[in-house]
C-alpha cells in the first residue's frame, strides 16, 4: 500500500509538472520549462538533465537497478520527463538533440514496460506509440529496435515485429541468428494466430528464406 501511494504521489506530481510545462511552452518560455523538468528530476530522483543527456540508456537503467530487479515504474517516470524535454528541443529547432533524447526516452519506456512497469500509470502503449510516430523517419539504435520488436510481439503486432527483425538482419549481421529464430518461432503458430497478428504464413516463410540465405552468405 505504501509503495502504491508513493507511486501515485510521484505520478500526480509529474502530471502537474507536465501541465505546467505545457503552459510555459505555449508562452514560449522554453528555458523556464526545461528548468522545471530539471527541478522535477532532481526532486524525485536526485538526477540532473545534463547527466541523463550524456548517459546512454543502458547506463540510466543501471541507476534504477535494485538487486536482481529494476525499479520499472521510476524508470518510466524518467522516460516521461525526457520525452517532455525532447519535445521542447524539437519546438526550438534543436532537432538533432530532440530526436536523440526521444530515442533514449523510447528505450526507457520499452525496457520498463518489458520489466513489469505499471502500464496504466501513463498508458505506456500510447506513450510508446507517440514517440515511435515522432521518430519514424530516423533509424533507431539496434538495441532499441530489438526492444520495440519484442513490444510489438507482446501486443500481437507480429507484422511490425517481423519488419523490425528483417531490417535488423540486413543491417546488423551479428543479429542474423536472432532474426532467424524469431521467424522460425512464427512458423510454430497456427495460420489463424498469424493472421490475427497481421502476417501470413507465406510472408513468414519468404522472410525466413531470405534471412537464412543471407545468413549462409555471411
Amino acid at each position: 500500500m505504501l509503495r502504491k501511494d508513493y507511486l501515485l504521489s510521484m505520478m500526480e506530481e509529474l502530471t502537474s509538472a507536465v501541465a505546467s510545462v505545457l503552459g510555459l511552452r505555449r508562452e514560449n518560455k522554453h528555458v523556464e520549462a526545461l528548468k522545471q523538468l530539471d527541478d522535477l528530476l532532481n526532486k524525485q530522483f536526485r538526477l540532473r538533465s545534463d547527466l541523463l543527456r550524456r548517459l546512454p540508456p543502458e547506463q540510466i537503467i543501471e541507476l534504477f537497478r535494485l538487486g536482481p530487479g529494476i525499479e520499472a515504474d521510476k524508470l518510466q517516470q524518467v522516460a516521461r520527463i525526457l520525452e517532455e524535454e525532447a519535445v521542447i528541443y524539437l519546438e526550438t529547432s534543436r532537432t538533432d538533440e530532440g530526436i536523440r533524447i526521444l530515442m533514449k526516452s523510447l528505450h526507457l519506456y520499452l525496457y520498463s514496460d518489458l520489466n513489469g512497469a505499471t502500464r496504466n500509470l501513463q498508458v505506456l502503449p500510447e506513450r510508446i506509440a507517440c514517440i515511435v510516430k515522432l521518430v519514424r523517419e530516423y533509424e533507431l539504435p539496434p538495441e532499441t529496435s530489438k526492444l520495440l520488436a519484442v513490444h510489438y510481439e507482446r501486443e500481437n503486432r507480429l507484422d511490425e515485429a517481423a519488419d523490425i527483425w528483417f531490417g535488423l538482419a540486413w543491417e546488423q549481421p551479428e543479429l542474423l541468428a536472432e532474426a532467424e529464430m524469431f521467424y522460425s518461432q512464427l512458423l510454430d503458430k497456427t495460420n489463424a494466430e498469424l493472421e490475427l497478428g497481421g502476417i501470413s504464413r507465406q510472408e513468414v516463410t519468404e522472410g525466413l528464406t531470405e534471412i537464412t540465405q543471407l545468413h549462409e552468405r555471411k
Side-chain angles (χ1 to χ4, degrees):
M1 179 61 73
L2 288 176
R3 174 173 173 77
K4 183 178 179 181
D5 290 344
Y6 172 67
L7 289 174
L8 288 175
S9 176
M10 284 180 59
M11 189 61 212
E12 288 172 359
E13 190 170 17
L14 174 59
T15 301
S16 176
V18 168
S20 178
V21 165
L22 178 59
L24 291 170
R25 284 167 47 202
R26 286 172 174 166
E27 296 174 11
N28 290 320
K29 295 180 179 180
H30 296 102
V31 174
E32 292 88 342
L34 287 171
K35 184 179 185 307
Q36 185 156 337
L37 291 171
D38 190 40
D39 289 344
L40 182 63
L41 268 175
N42 186 41
K43 180 180 180 181
Q44 289 194 340
F45 308 111
R46 297 293 185 267
L47 294 171
R48 309 299 307 203
S49 294
D50 58 347
L51 172 64
L52 296 187
R53 286 196 297 272
R54 292 196 303 271
L55 291 178
E58 293 82 4
Q59 289 186 25
I60 296 175
I61 289 168
E62 290 306 309
L63 297 175
F64 292 89
R65 194 165 294 286
L66 189 63
I70 197 83
E71 294 182 292
D73 286 320
K74 290 185 178 181
L75 194 61
Q76 70 163 314
Q77 300 280 79
V78 170
R80 180 60 186 275
I81 295 172
L82 286 176
E83 179 188 355
E84 294 297 323
E85 182 178 306
V87 171
I88 294 172
Y89 282 116
L90 292 177
E91 288 181 347
T92 53
S93 300
R94 297 170 64 178
T95 305
D96 290 345
E97 183 75 354
I99 293 299
R100 188 175 66 83
I101 297 173
L102 272 181
M103 289 183 180
K104 188 176 297 187
S105 174
L106 176 61
H107 190 105
L108 299 181
Y109 273 137
L110 291 166
Y111 192 91
S112 64
D113 189 34
L114 295 174
N115 284 272
T118 306
R119 284 189 135 196
N120 60 4
L121 273 182
Q122 300 191 70
V123 195
L124 264 176
E126 290 186 11
R127 299 257 51 86
I128 291 169
C130 180
I131 297 183
V132 169
K133 184 176 180 179
L134 288 172
V135 301
R136 64 185 180 278
E137 297 179 3
Y138 300 86
E139 182 177 349
L140 293 174
E143 289 305 312
T144 306
S145 292
K146 288 171 63 176
L147 289 176
L148 184 58
V150 175
H151 169 74
Y152 284 149
E153 186 176 2
R154 287 181 70 200
E155 297 290 298
N156 201 35
R157 295 158 67 178
L158 301 179
D159 54 338
E160 295 176 84
D163 286 344
I164 291 176
W165 278 115
F166 191 84
L168 287 171
W170 280 93
E171 296 163 10
Q172 305 290 330
E174 68 275 14
L175 297 178
L176 273 168
E178 289 182 66
E180 196 170 14
M181 181 180 299
F182 170 79
Y183 272 83
S184 296
Q185 289 173 343
L186 286 186
L187 287 178
D188 293 334
K189 296 183 179 295
T190 66
N191 289 340
E193 288 173 330
L194 291 175
E195 292 294 341
L196 283 174
I199 195 169
S200 68
R201 185 167 299 277
Q202 180 179 347
E203 289 173 308
V204 175
T205 302
E206 291 174 353
L208 179 59
T209 298
E210 290 190 51
I211 290 173
T212 301
Q213 291 173 347
L214 181 62
H215 200 171
E216 292 171 349
R217 289 199 297 270
K218 296 293 183 180

